[in-house]
Amino acid sequence: MTALQGESHQEHDSPAFVVFSEEEREQMRKFTNKSYLLDKRSRCHVYLGLIDILLAYCYEICVNEGDKNVESSWNIRKLSATLCWLESFSSIHDVLVSFGRRVLCYPLYRHFELVTRAFNDTVMILQLGKAAVLKCLLDIHKIFMESDPAYILNDLFITDYCIWIQKVKSRKLAALCESLQKATLSKSHLGLELEELEAAAVLVQEEEKALKAAGTVSKQQLLCSESETSDSEESSSTSSSETEGSDSDEQESSTSEDGEINSFQGTLQEERTAPLIDCNGLRQGTNTSAMEVSDGKSKVSFQSTTPPGKLIEELEMQIHSAMRLSEQPEGLATAGCISQEQEENPVPEPDRFSEDVAGKGNFLEVSPKPNPLLFLCSTNEDED
């Protein structure tokens, strides 16, 4: 518009800034010629209502960039208190406050900068003169005609404004534009506590930034601590593996030593349990000891498991039995016979001892009745 204004000043002296299309001219031909008798107060209301309608139209053009849609008529009539509520204003400041409050409450895009942008565009339209104002009113009229509930507003306001603005003097609009430029509108004038809400929003943003920074620091610390713990766990696992290796070596050495000790104890137990005195005063159990040597592993393992206290008891029982043999000479024959039977059918020593300890019967006891076979056994031993 500024470029068009500069070119027109260079080419023509007359301010022909706005050009109407054929459709707009046909639209103006449909209007009837009327004359309006208005007093000073009514004229003031009409001018202020015109500013209110132009502000709503400028918001619609600014938001949709001139591309009209189904919400265009709703935006214009909802943001203008003159069209929505049939409001009559008494000052320009009231018009600006009403428009600013509606912009921040009703439409989809709510921002105080949109209020300022619409205000500046309205001032520019008024500076271009009544032709630019008429062109905007014709566009509003067309938008309302395409909307079902809004066409009534054309009959109530827009048609009369289009007829009335053609007869208004240009100096009146210039004075209205100057008074509008002098008016100011701030966030505190709207009464919505915008400054306090924005300050609270800034504090919330700062707190969120601080929390994010603290969260990043804590995450870094956690990562560092996790890495340290993993390193310590690795070192502890290596040390534990070393200690387990040393323990296993010690256990192997101890098991080898225990095996040697057990084998040595087994040989000692064999030497202790093997010699038994027979009826002729000779050592008994030589054949059994030989068989024990041939069956080394099972015998040694079995004897190694016997407790030493039990071996002492067995030795005491053997000593008592030898003493009883020396006291009772009649039992020599039975002992010699039993020793020959043991040489022919050797029996492991622990089973025999366990029978003696359990008390089921002693093989060295002399039978009360004489047996003729016992004399045969004794004669054979005397001949040997």
Side-chain angles (χ1 to χ4, degrees):
M1 293 174 68
T2 305
L4 181 62
Q5 184 178 1
E7 291 176 359
S8 63
H9 274 296
Q10 291 177 0
E11 294 177 359
H12 305 284
D13 293 336
S14 62
F17 305 140
V18 181
V19 179
F20 293 97
S21 62
E22 187 63 29
E23 184 180 359
E24 291 173 348
R25 290 177 182 178
E26 183 65 25
Q27 189 176 359
M28 286 188 288
R29 291 190 189 100
K30 295 179 181 179
F31 297 151
T32 57
N33 189 9
K34 296 181 181 179
S35 59
Y36 300 94
L37 301 174
L38 301 174
D39 56 359
K40 187 176 180 179
R41 183 178 179 181
S42 297
R43 194 178 296 110
C44 180
H45 291 320
V46 170
Y47 281 118
L48 295 176
L50 178 63
I51 293 173
D52 188 30
I53 294 171
L54 291 176
L55 287 171
Y57 175 75
C58 291
Y59 173 87
E60 164 62 23
I61 298 299
C62 179
V63 170
N64 295 321
E65 297 180 355
D67 188 10
K68 301 177 182 62
N69 52 31
V70 294
E71 298 295 331
S72 297
S73 63
W74 185 89
N75 285 334
I76 295 172
R77 70 175 185 267
K78 185 62 67 174
L79 297 180
S80 174
T82 301
L83 300 177
C84 181
W85 191 245
L86 307 176
E87 182 67 29
S88 298
F89 298 102
S90 58
S91 65
I92 295 176
H93 181 72
D94 294 340
V95 176
L96 296 177
V97 170
S98 174
F99 174 72
R101 289 172 63 88
R102 286 177 174 271
V103 168
L104 296 178
C105 294
Y106 292 116
L108 179 62
Y109 304 103
R110 300 181 293 273
H111 201 279
F112 187 77
E113 294 296 331
L114 292 174
V115 179
T116 306
R117 177 67 181 275
F119 174 75
N120 294 329
D121 291 344
T122 303
V123 171
M124 187 177 292
I125 290 170
L126 291 175
Q127 286 176 350
L128 291 174
K130 60 182 181 181
V133 175
L134 178 59
K135 192 174 181 68
C136 293
L137 290 172
L138 290 173
D139 196 8
I140 294 171
H141 189 277
K142 182 180 178 181
I143 293 171
F144 284 172
M145 285 297 294
E146 294 175 355
S147 179
D148 189 12
Y151 71 94
I152 300 174
L153 296 175
N154 286 334
D155 298 335
L156 295 176
F157 290 97
I158 305 303
T159 302
D160 293 333
Y161 265 109
C162 290
I163 298 170
W164 172 80
I165 197 67
Q166 297 180 32
K167 299 179 180 180
V168 174
K169 296 179 180 180
S170 297
R171 59 184 182 86
K172 295 286 186 182
L173 289 178
L176 182 63
C177 180
E178 290 178 358
S179 61
L180 184 60
Q181 285 179 340
K182 293 177 182 179
T184 58
L185 181 65
S186 63
K187 295 178 182 179
S188 59
H189 294 158
L190 301 179
L192 298 177
E193 299 180 355
L194 296 180
E195 295 177 352
E196 290 80 359
L197 293 174
E198 288 179 355
V202 170
L203 292 175
V204 170
Q205 289 180 354
E206 292 177 355
E207 290 179 356
E208 289 179 353
K209 290 179 181 179
L211 290 174
K212 287 181 180 179
T216 54
V217 172
S218 62
K219 286 181 181 179
Q220 291 177 358
Q221 291 178 355
L222 286 173
L223 291 174
C224 294
S225 62
E226 287 178 357
S227 62
E228 290 176 357
T229 52
S230 62
D231 295 336
S232 62
E233 287 177 356
E234 289 178 357
S235 62
S236 63
S237 63
T238 53
S239 61
S240 62
S241 63
E242 292 176 356
T243 53
E244 287 176 358
S246 61
D247 293 337
S248 62
D249 296 335
E250 291 177 357
Q251 288 177 0
E252 289 176 356
S253 61
S254 62
T255 51
S256 62
E257 292 176 357
D258 292 337
E260 293 176 356
I261 292 168
N262 291 328
S263 63
F264 182 70
Q265 289 179 356
T267 55
L268 291 175
Q269 289 174 4
E270 288 177 359
E271 292 177 356
R272 289 177 183 176
T273 56
L276 293 175
I277 301 170
D278 57 0
C279 57
N280 294 325
L282 298 174
R283 294 181 65 182
Q284 185 184 358
T286 57
N287 293 328
T288 58
S289 64
M291 292 182 66
E292 288 172 359
V293 171
S294 63
D295 195 6
K297 293 183 180 179
S298 61
K299 191 69 178 177
V300 169
S301 62
F302 180 77
Q303 289 177 357
S304 62
T305 56
T306 58
K310 191 173 182 181
L311 292 174
I312 294 169
E313 292 178 358
E314 291 174 356
L315 290 173
E316 290 178 356
M317 294 296 294
Q318 292 173 9
I319 291 167
H320 287 298
S321 63
M323 291 174 67
R324 289 175 63 185
L325 285 172
S326 62
E327 291 176 357
Q328 296 178 2
E330 294 179 357
L332 294 173
T334 58
C337 182
I338 291 170
S339 63
Q340 287 182 358
E341 290 178 358
Q342 288 178 354
E343 288 177 356
E344 291 176 359
N345 297 319
V347 181
E349 295 293 338
D351 294 338
R352 187 173 57 190
F353 296 155
S354 63
E355 289 177 359
D356 294 338
V357 175
K360 294 182 180 179
N362 194 351
F363 66 90
L364 296 177
E365 291 181 358
V366 181
S367 59
K369 294 181 181 181
N371 193 351
L373 295 176
L374 296 178
F375 294 101
L376 294 174
C377 292
S378 62
T379 55
N380 292 330
E381 289 177 359
D382 293 334
E383 290 176 358
D384 294 336

